[in-house]
């Protein structure tokens, strides 16, 4: 009886951010209805000259890439047996699962004929990169759901199936790493077919590897950022002893990625374009997402300081987002002969997906054992300072 009372969540008390998430969700629903009744042309600034915009560049490319922390951390814990990182595995898997789930929702909005999304399951075009991406995203979303399932099963007392999944965790992690490696790189392969359209500052035969390594670096940054936001929102302990070595791994990944990018630009003889609009966008992206995080996180004194650590992770994530938007939008504008600026309704959809994801994450933390301390609602309220 006492256990059940402890697990019972407190009465929900909406606050400022609850209102913000509610407004974003309602606006998202309204735009969704408008999109399905009036079509893409009524809600987006997309055209035949520029068919892929914010919903691909941000919702898909960034959503998948920033979820890369899930396969990175599960591999570290379950394949390399670094069990000390286990306390941050569950929130990372949840973040990854939500990222992939909302990528699927975004695709249902962006596809011209979303009712045919199931075609990849039946009609196998094995020569298509999109076919491979579709299957890997479907399968890896399933893997993440299974990896997270024990949290839900244990909450409702189904311990036997939870134990079974725990016994199968190693092959599940191996499968997840394989699938993630395939589709993180294949998202870059989508742009290999447009060498004459993608600006030479971003085009490279090594784009698949660029996408894969940058996703690892940004995924680690997202783990750090998510841990900090959880600390602020749920008074969760920030595991600096775990996040500091992750920051070192982020430095290595971003350093390798940065050198590869510079080598690719040199091969394309594109350094002379740095004074152009595209060049300025590249410099901002590269400074924010590679140079500053690598320099700052290379110093142990800064890595072990919470503010600098979170700042470096935020820069890595911000630079990653800029890179994906530059590849999908900035680098394609000149060849298309048009300028693309997302409409207000496109932005509402993207913000709505992010806000809904954060709200679902908060719900999960408050009702399930995401962190070692258990659900937020079941913890005793901390006394005020000086009480």
């Amino acid at each position: 009886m006492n256990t059940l009372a402890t697990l019972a969540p407190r009465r929900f008390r909406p606050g400022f951010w609850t209102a913000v998430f509610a407004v974003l969700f309602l606006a998202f629903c309204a735009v969704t209805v408008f999109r399905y009744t009036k079509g893409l042309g009524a809600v987006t600034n997309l055209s035949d000259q520029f068919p892929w915009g914010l919903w691909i560049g941000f919702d898909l490319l960034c959503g998948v890439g920033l979820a890369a922390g899930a396969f990175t951390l599960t591999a570290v814990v379950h394949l390399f047996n670094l069990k000390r990182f286990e306390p941050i595995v569950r929130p990372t898997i949840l973040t990854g699962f939500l990222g992939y789930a909302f990528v699927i929702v975004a695709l249902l909005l962006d596809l011209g004929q979303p009712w045919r999304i199931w075609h990849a399951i039946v009609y196998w075009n094995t020569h298509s990169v999109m076919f491979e991406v579709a299957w890997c995203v479907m399968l890896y979303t399933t893997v993440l759901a299974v990896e997270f399932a024990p949290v839900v099963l244990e909450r409702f007392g189904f311990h036997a199936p939870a134990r079974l999944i725990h016994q199968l965790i190693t092959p599940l992690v191996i499968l997840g790493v394989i699938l993630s490696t395939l589709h993180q790189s294949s998202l870059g392969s989508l742009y290999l077919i447009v060498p004459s359209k993608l600006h030479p500052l971003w085009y490279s035969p090594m784009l698949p590897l660029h996408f894969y390594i940058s996703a690892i670096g940004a995924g680690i940054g997202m783990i750090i950022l998510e841990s900090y936001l959880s600390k602020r929102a749920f008074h969760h302990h920030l595991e600096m002893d775990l996040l500091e070595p992750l920051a070192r791994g982020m430095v290595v990944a971003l350093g390798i990625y940065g050198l590869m990018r510079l080598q690719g630009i040199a091969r394309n003889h594109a350094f002379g374009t740095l004074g152009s609009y595209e060049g300025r966008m590249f410099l901002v992206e590269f400074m924010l997402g590679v140079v500053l995080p690598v320099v700052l996180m290379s110093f142990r004194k800064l890595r072990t300081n919470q503010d600098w650590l979170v700042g470096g992770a935020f820069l890595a994530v911000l630079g990653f987002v800029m890179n994906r938007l530059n590849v999908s939008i900035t680098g394609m504008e000149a060849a298309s002969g048009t300028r693309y600026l997302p409409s207000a309704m496109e932005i509402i959809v993207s913000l709505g997906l992010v806000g809904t994801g954060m709200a679902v994450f908060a719900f999960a933390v408050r009702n399930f054992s995401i962190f070692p301390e258990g659900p937020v609602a079941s913890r005793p309220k901390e006394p005020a300072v000086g009480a």
Side-chain angles (χ1 to χ4, degrees), residues 90-91 93-94 145-157 162 165-166 364 367-371:
R90 283 187 171 185
I93 292 176
L94 175 59
V146 174
E147 288 179 343
F148 187 72
V151 178
V152 180
L153 294 171
E154 290 168 359
R155 176 66 174 80
F156 294 103
I165 294 174
H166 283 307
N367 292 276
F368 299 93
S369 296
I370 306 299
F371 295 105

Side-chain angles (χ1 to χ4, degrees), residues 198 202 278 281-282 285 321-332:
L198 182 58
W202 291 282
E278 290 84 1
M281 292 296 288
F282 164 76
E285 164 208 320
V321 172
M322 285 198 65
N323 170 258
R324 295 309 192 251
L325 292 177
N326 280 338
V327 170
S328 59
I329 297 175
T330 308
M332 300 289 288

Side-chain angles (χ1 to χ4, degrees), residues 7 18 48 58 72 101 128 143 146 159 192 215 229 237 243 249 254 263 287 304 313 339-340 375:
L7 289 175
T18 306
D48 291 342
F58 180 78
T72 303
S128 170
V143 168
V146 174
H159 298 291
L192 289 180
L229 293 176
H237 173 66
L243 300 183
L254 292 180
Q263 188 269 342
M287 289 296 297
T304 53
R339 285 287 184 192
Y340 164 78

Side-chain angles (χ1 to χ4, degrees), residues 63 82 191 199:
L82 298 177
Y191 291 89
H199 195 280

Side-chain angles (χ1 to χ4, degrees), residues 159-373:
H159 298 291
R163 285 194 296 270
L164 177 61
I165 294 174
H166 283 307
Q167 292 172 359
L168 298 174
I169 194 66
T170 298
L172 278 172
V173 170
I174 293 173
L175 179 60
V177 170
I178 293 172
L179 292 170
S180 295
T181 301
L182 288 171
H183 74 263
Q184 292 287 356
S185 58
S186 293
L187 290 174
S189 301
L190 289 173
Y191 291 89
L192 289 180
I193 62 175
V194 289
S196 60
K197 294 183 178 180
L198 182 58
H199 195 280
L201 284 171
W202 291 282
Y203 181 81
S204 169
M206 303 296 287
L207 259 178
L209 193 55
H210 290 179
F211 266 55
Y212 178 66
I213 296 178
S214 63
I216 293 176
I220 295 174
M222 194 65 193
I223 293 173
I224 297 172
L225 198 57
E226 172 265 314
S227 298
Y228 173 74
L229 293 176
S230 297
K231 168 186 175 292
R232 291 289 302 271
F234 311 116
H235 308 290
H236 166 66
H237 173 66
L238 192 66
E239 303 92 344
M240 289 295 295
D241 58 322
L242 303 181
L243 300 183
E244 187 272 333
L246 286 180
R248 278 183 277 158
M250 184 178 73
V251 169
V252 174
L254 292 180
I256 294 173
Y257 164 70
L259 291 175
M260 292 181 64
R261 286 295 309 280
L262 294 176
Q263 188 269 342
I265 294 172
R267 177 184 293 177
N268 291 342
H269 307 288
F271 280 111
T273 66
L274 292 180
S276 63
Y277 165 72
E278 290 84 1
R280 292 191 293 272
M281 292 296 288
F282 164 76
L283 288 174
V284 173
E285 164 208 320
F286 198 74
M287 289 296 297
L288 290 178
V290 178
V291 176
L292 286 176
V294 168
V295 171
L296 292 175
M297 297 297 98
S298 293
F299 295 95
R300 187 179 184 279
K301 185 176 180 180
L302 299 182
R303 286 197 312 272
T304 53
N305 179 282
Q306 174 183 296
D307 295 334
W308 284 105
L309 177 69
V310 174
F314 174 76
L315 288 173
V317 171
L318 180 61
F320 174 86
V321 172
M322 285 198 65
N323 170 258
R324 295 309 192 251
L325 292 177
N326 280 338
V327 170
S328 59
I329 297 175
T330 308
M332 300 289 288
E333 285 183 326
S336 69
T338 184
R339 285 287 184 192
Y340 164 78
L341 187 66
S343 69
M345 285 187 279
E346 288 179 82
I347 296 173
I348 286 173
V349 166
S350 296
L351 291 178
L353 287 172
V354 172
T356 304
M358 295 176 71
V360 173
F361 186 94
F363 173 83
V365 170
R366 293 184 182 280
N367 292 276
F368 299 93
S369 296
I370 306 299
F371 295 105
E373 301 95 320

